[in-house]
Amino acid sequence: MAESDAAVKLVGRRFVMPQALAKDGREHLVRWYCGRARSWLEDKVSEYAARMEVAPAGVRVQDLGYRWGSCGKGEWLYFHWKTILLPARIAEYVVVHEMAHLYEPHHTPEYWRRVERAMPDFAQRRAWLAAYGGELEGL
């Protein structure tokens, strides 16, 4: 779908959509956010891939319930569409967290060492996400 045909547009600081689509407004907004998130997340994954010595199959953005991300079969990285609503440095932590799962599926000491090598201040970012990430619930 071309940008001019999009159901949702950001005009200034407001979202605009045709009134006829309002009954499915949340679905259209989520689709809009998914598109923006995919592009940003793919850039971050590319940025960290060489540093972390991984080659993910790709990025998918969708509703993951209460999870921010997931490392799926076939080395696909999945991210919740709400990740794009987090501060950039926190969303970047989510990216590194999931990419580290390409080496280690569990949160072992080696897993956390791998995260720390890629992002030395991960603990502060992780703490922020635990403390404030839930504020996006209900969106």
Side-chain angles (χ1 to χ4, degrees):
M1 173 183 301
E3 180 68 29
S4 61
D5 298 331
V8 174
K9 295 178 186 170
L10 186 59
V11 179
R13 298 181 70 187
R14 293 179 177 259
F15 285 109
V16 177
M17 86 172 55
Q19 189 170 1
L21 300 177
K23 68 178 175 54
D24 297 318
R26 183 179 189 284
E27 177 184 326
H28 293 296
L29 278 169
V30 168
R31 190 175 305 125
W32 186 89
Y33 275 118
C34 283
R36 281 14 176 228
R38 184 176 301 106
S39 175
W40 190 87
L41 290 163
E42 286 173 343
D43 287 348
K44 287 297 167 188
V45 166
S46 293
E47 184 180 316
Y48 278 93
R51 185 182 325 177
M52 295 182 72
E53 299 176 331
V54 296
V59 170
R60 293 194 174 135
V61 180
Q62 60 196 54
D63 192 322
L64 296 176
Y66 293 104
R67 294 178 302 161
W68 288 108
S70 176
C71 181
K73 291 188 191 245
E75 299 191 339
W76 278 89
L77 299 174
Y78 295 85
F79 297 98
H80 197 295
W81 67 267
K82 292 180 187 177
T83 304
I84 197 70
L85 299 175
L86 294 168
R89 62 187 309 277
I90 306 305
E92 192 172 7
Y93 161 70
V94 174
V95 168
V96 168
H97 182 107
E98 296 310 326
M99 291 179 74
H101 281 305
L102 293 169
Y103 272 102
E104 174 59 52
H106 305 289
H107 296 123
T108 64
E110 176 54 32
Y111 167 85
W112 290 113
R113 281 191 291 277
R114 186 171 297 281
V115 171
E116 186 174 30
R117 279 194 298 273
M119 182 174 281
D121 68 341
F122 86 92
Q124 291 86 1
R125 298 181 199 214
R126 179 180 178 209
W128 189 99
L129 187 60
Y132 303 106
E135 292 179 9
L136 294 176
E137 290 299 318
L139 293 180

